[in-house]
Amino acid sequence: MIVGILGVGHLAAAMLAGFLRSGLDPAAIVLSPRGKAAALSSHHGFRLATDNRDLVERSDVVIVAVRPAHAPDAVAGLPWRKDQVVISVCAGVPLSRFAVAPARTVRAMPFTASEVCASPTIYFPDLEQARAVLDRLGTSIALASETDFEVATVNAAIYGWVQDLIRRTTEWSCAQGLDPAIGRRLTAMTFVAAGRLIEEKDQPMGQMLEELVTPGGITERGLQVLSARGVPAAWEEACRAVLDKLTASG
């Protein structure tokens, strides 16, 4: 299976690093000739298409990773085939905007953690060819509808917010005298640990937190401060704002 990448920016570069890390042969990847494509092709041995038409003609699966506003025009008028799958990673662009018939279209939202094959990548609809590609970047999660996909895509923004929380916590710890390398590693692993426990246990999350929070303890005290400052409500407002932005063009 030949994978074409149409639009080689930051996210595509992270995905390419993940494909290499997963053992995918660089010769099985074709890049459109813009952005970081030439440098990546020279360094890793990816194939370089002469233009987007050439890329489509040579690929079985095409990942569209251009800016969302440019996505519909980027795929229009190209020689799409019945046996092809087009995977769009362009946030907020509905399936109806992709004129790629007779090829089939899938929406996906990988994170830059694709670089280390740790991205929880949502996608819709569940097509085998798409799953085979996305599984190389981490855990792929099929969704039941495009509406579900939009809601789940909010996590792509939350991914960035979590990185900011890790950065801020690390900086605070270092200001208190903790070694920067230790602070960074500990804070990052704390978030990983919390997420992994929730993922692997079936216990209701509210119950898990209730058992964790000791009355009068440090977790309770911090949560009290966050609640008093309106952080939970602000977080929900931020999620809603992202969802509204994602669905505005649909």
Side-chain angles (χ1 to χ4, degrees), residues 64-219:
V64 181
V66 299
R67 292 180 184 275
H70 301 159
D73 289 340
V75 301
L78 296 176
W80 301 106
R81 304 187 305 273
K82 184 177 180 181
D83 59 338
Q84 284 179 310
V85 171
V86 179
I87 302 175
S88 164
V89 298
C90 306
V93 185
L95 292 172
S96 61
R97 300 288 305 280
F98 289 92
V100 298
R104 293 175 294 173
T105 315
V106 171
R107 293 183 66 183
M109 187 47 57
F111 300 164
T112 53
S114 296
E115 182 176 344
V116 293
C117 300
S119 174
T121 304
I122 57 169
Y123 68 105
F124 170 81
D126 186 7
L127 297 185
E128 182 180 353
Q129 297 97 318
R131 190 186 327 122
V133 171
L134 299 174
D135 275 346
R136 289 183 172 273
L137 305 177
T139 301
S140 65
I141 303 171
L143 298 176
S145 69
E146 195 164 13
T147 299
D148 287 352
F149 181 88
E150 296 290 18
V151 174
T153 299
V154 173
N155 281 275
I158 293 173
Y159 170 71
W161 305 346
V162 169
Q163 289 196 12
D164 187 53
L165 286 172
I166 293 171
R167 177 184 64 84
R168 291 175 182 272
T169 305
T170 301
E171 290 176 351
W172 179 87
S173 299
C174 294
Q176 312 311 307
L178 190 64
D179 177 88
I182 292 176
R184 175 172 176 158
R185 185 183 183 204
L186 174 61
T187 306
M189 292 181 70
T190 297
F191 277 76
V192 171
R196 182 171 176 180
L197 185 66
I198 289 175
E199 180 196 9
E200 295 193 9
K201 294 189 71 171
D202 295 329
Q203 187 178 6
M205 289 184 288
Q207 182 182 343
M208 292 176 66
L209 186 60
E210 183 179 346
E211 293 174 354
L212 176 66
V213 179
T214 303
I218 58 174
T219 304

